[in-house]
Amino acid sequence: MQNLTLLDGPKFQITIQRLCRQLIENHDDFTNSVLIGTQPRGIYLARRVAEELRKILPNKTILQGDMDVTFYRDDFRRGERQLVPNQTRIDFIIEGKKVILIDDVLWTGRTIRAAMDGMLYFGRPAKVELLVLVDRRYSRHLPVAADYVGIEVDSIASQKVVVSWKETDGEDKIILVSEK
Amino acid sequence: MFDINHGENSQTMAELSTRHLLGIKDLNLSDIELIFETADEFKSVLNRPIKKVPSLRDVTIANIFFENSTRTRLSFELAEKRLSADVVNFAASSSSVSKGETLIDTVNNILAMKVDMVVMRHPYAGAGIFLSKHVKAQIVNAGDGAHEHPTQALLDAFSIRERYGDVAGKKVAIVGDILHSRVALSNILCLKQLGAEVMVCGPTTLIPKYIGALGVKVEHDLLSALNWCDVANMLRIQLERQDIKYFPSLREYSMLYGLNKQILDSLDKEITIMHPGPINRGVEITSDVADSKQSIILDQVENGVAIRMAVLYLLAGQAQ
């Protein structure tokens, strides 16, 4: 097991702030835009982004929800073990809104496909964009691309990219874990 | 292989310890908790504008009912459709069973049409267990004679958990025809697993001998039972299963074991009233009690769909 730190400390915070500024460029004051984090790990990034946006736009309402994709996955009845569903919490109408889907790591693109499928059960969005903290390049199984990217990483399938958060893991950090 | 391995803290994985749901007897505590956690999420799906998920879109389920049912059959069918499964329904009265076909032949013929799961109700105890040993499909018991009715017990316990936050430590009295009731046995097993205290109450003739061996209290006086409990689960008198007279008249039964507003108001606490249905109004429970705010009878029906979705989803998701 070998761990390589890709991002931590002040740079981590700067990356999140940059993503927020990029969002504001395209979404102005967020009157018609909503943030949706994917369970289980994307919700921490979505909450952090929402928190940061509220600091930058103190008088605006930033709507943020959590989406669990377990019921929409394409590997049901195919895996070895079953996934326990997490909570979906979307307390607003998606119909006609610009949705920013948020996940921590973009790898094969299958979670994002499932999230887009699940999202349609809450209404027809005007537009959907994707924000990720880490883009594992050249590893897609589906034609999915992110609109906002924190960092790009070149990795091989046996490696893992782990994002840890101050709130749950004690430290903001992105590490690349290799088997040996 | 799959992109769930984002990190070391990826999504929790768990599955049921059993391939079929034949009875509560086969479930352990973590199975029941897994079903409840999954049902919580399905309940939220059922409260959305579009009450459907695509999970079981490549699964075909046959509902085989050798005995009459309204609630359970509808509830299973709705659960299956809301999981996007393909559903075929079969009622014994209108089938070749009346021409003398055996149970295994009937079911194997249905399975030859590529059915993955069978939901079965049968008048004989153990019919589901027998079937599970002879056919390849996964079996869900929707009631077998006076033996078990596992999804009913799960939805009853789930409703108690919803009302009180937890089942452990709650006192539940099951009142009525315990002898002929599959709901009673499944409820006792499920509630005991979850740490509740259980009492059965009814006339001596309708309480099975040695039921105390299951760890339940026995009471023959309705008022004492109601004073003891937090939740009273009122069962129907199963006249269709009674081959001899167990009590002099329904009127007398109703006088001694029927729950009415007067008795309910005489208690010094507010208890919760449950009933698995169908209700015989005026026999085991009066209309004003069944429709009172203490009654969670319709919540039980609502939770039934979520519980059945959870059970079917968890069974279908097991490695094939």
Side-chain angles (χ1 to χ4, degrees), chain B residues 259-316:
Chain B
L259 182 57
N260 59 43
K261 198 84 181 112
Q262 209 181 346
I263 303 175
L264 207 56
D265 290 341
S266 75
L267 305 175
D268 51 8
K269 58 179 177 181
E270 196 165 283
I271 63 168
T272 300
I273 308 301
M274 297 173 70
H275 194 302
I279 304 176
N280 288 151
R281 285 178 186 253
V283 182
E284 70 273 8
I285 189 167
T286 58
S287 279
D288 48 1
V289 173
D291 303 331
S292 70
K293 66 174 178 24
Q294 280 167 263
S295 146
I296 56 166
I297 296 173
L298 293 176
D299 299 291
Q300 288 173 266
V301 179
E302 186 189 339
N303 289 337
V305 180
I307 282 287
R308 290 178 176 116
M309 284 174 84
V311 166
L312 295 168
Y313 173 82
L314 290 167
L315 289 176

Side-chain angles (χ1 to χ4, degrees), chain A residues 78-91:
Chain A
R78 286 168 182 81
E80 287 286 295
R81 301 264 287 163
Q82 238 179 317
L83 295 169
V84 178
N86 287 298
Q87 201 187 25
T88 293
R89 186 191 55 83
I90 298 178
D91 313 325

Side-chain angles (χ1 to χ4, degrees), chain A residues 70-71 77 82 84 108 111 161, chain B residues 3 6 11-12 14 52 55 316:
Chain A
T70 310
F71 298 140
R77 285 159 69 79
Q82 238 179 317
V84 178
T108 60
T111 303
V161 176
Chain B
D3 63 345
H6 279 180
Q11 207 169 342
T12 328
K52 219 171 153 87
S55 305

Side-chain angles (χ1 to χ4, degrees), chain B residues 26-255:
Chain B
D26 305 328
L27 300 181
N28 57 41
L29 184 58
S30 52
D31 287 334
I32 298 175
E33 280 167 353
L34 178 62
I35 292 170
F36 284 1
E37 278 169 36
T38 312
D40 282 334
E41 297 317 313
F42 281 124
K43 188 152 183 189
S44 87
V45 169
L46 292 175
N47 286 308
R48 288 179 199 164
I50 302 174
K51 303 167 179 53
K52 219 171 153 87
V53 293
S55 305
L56 265 61
R57 63 195 148 199
D58 57 351
V59 178
T60 307
I61 304 176
N63 297 316
I64 310 184
F65 280 70
F66 291 93
E67 216 182 49
N68 293 335
S69 165
T70 315
R71 239 168 317 277
T72 308
R73 197 170 62 77
L74 268 177
S75 181
F76 266 110
E77 193 173 338
L78 267 177
E80 290 151 5
K81 287 184 169 164
R82 290 189 165 156
L83 288 165
S84 306
D86 291 322
V87 181
V88 284
N89 286 306
F90 166 97
S93 52
S94 58
S95 71
S96 289
V97 173
S98 49
K99 299 177 191 163
E101 192 171 57
T102 66
L103 176 59
I104 292 181
D105 281 340
T106 304
V107 174
N108 270 330
N109 274 284
I110 294 169
L111 294 182
M113 301 176 208
K114 305 283 180 235
V115 170
D116 305 288
M117 294 174 91
V118 172
V119 174
M120 184 173 75
R121 168 166 290 190
H122 201 281
Y124 294 144
I129 299 167
F130 171 76
L131 203 59
S132 72
K133 287 180 181 157
H134 292 93
V135 303
K136 270 169 69 183
Q138 290 178 290
I139 313 290
V140 179
N141 180 5
D144 58 335
H147 180 223
E148 279 228 48
H149 191 352
T151 54
Q152 180 70 44
L154 289 166
L155 75 90
D156 287 346
F158 185 78
S159 303
I160 295 173
R161 169 179 173 269
E162 189 177 66
R163 180 86 161 188
Y164 292 100
D166 198 359
V167 180
K170 296 288 163 300
K171 293 175 173 168
V172 184
I174 305 173
V175 183
D177 184 356
I178 311 297
L179 186 64
H180 299 97
S181 173
R182 52 190 171 219
V183 176
L185 179 61
S186 290
N187 257 279
I188 291 167
L189 296 173
C190 187
L191 292 167
K192 295 293 290 180
Q193 274 270 20
L194 290 164
E197 285 184 68
V198 184
M199 173 186 280
V200 293
C201 174
T204 324
T205 49
L206 291 177
I207 305 272
K209 277 182 188 171
Y210 314 116
I211 195 162
L214 291 172
V216 300
K217 294 185 169 59
V218 179
E219 176 61 64
H220 298 296
D221 177 52
L222 179 65
L223 193 59
S224 310
L226 295 176
N227 268 318
W228 172 84
C229 72
D230 302 308
V231 179
N233 196 351
M234 307 302 294
L235 304 184
R236 181 176 64 93
I237 293 294
Q238 312 235 340
L239 286 174
E240 74 275 18
R241 286 190 221 287
Q242 297 185 0
D243 40 2
I244 54 164
K245 278 269 182 199
Y246 288 89
F247 46 85
S249 70
L250 269 183
R251 186 168 160 271
E252 185 175 323
Y253 176 83
S254 178
M255 278 172 66

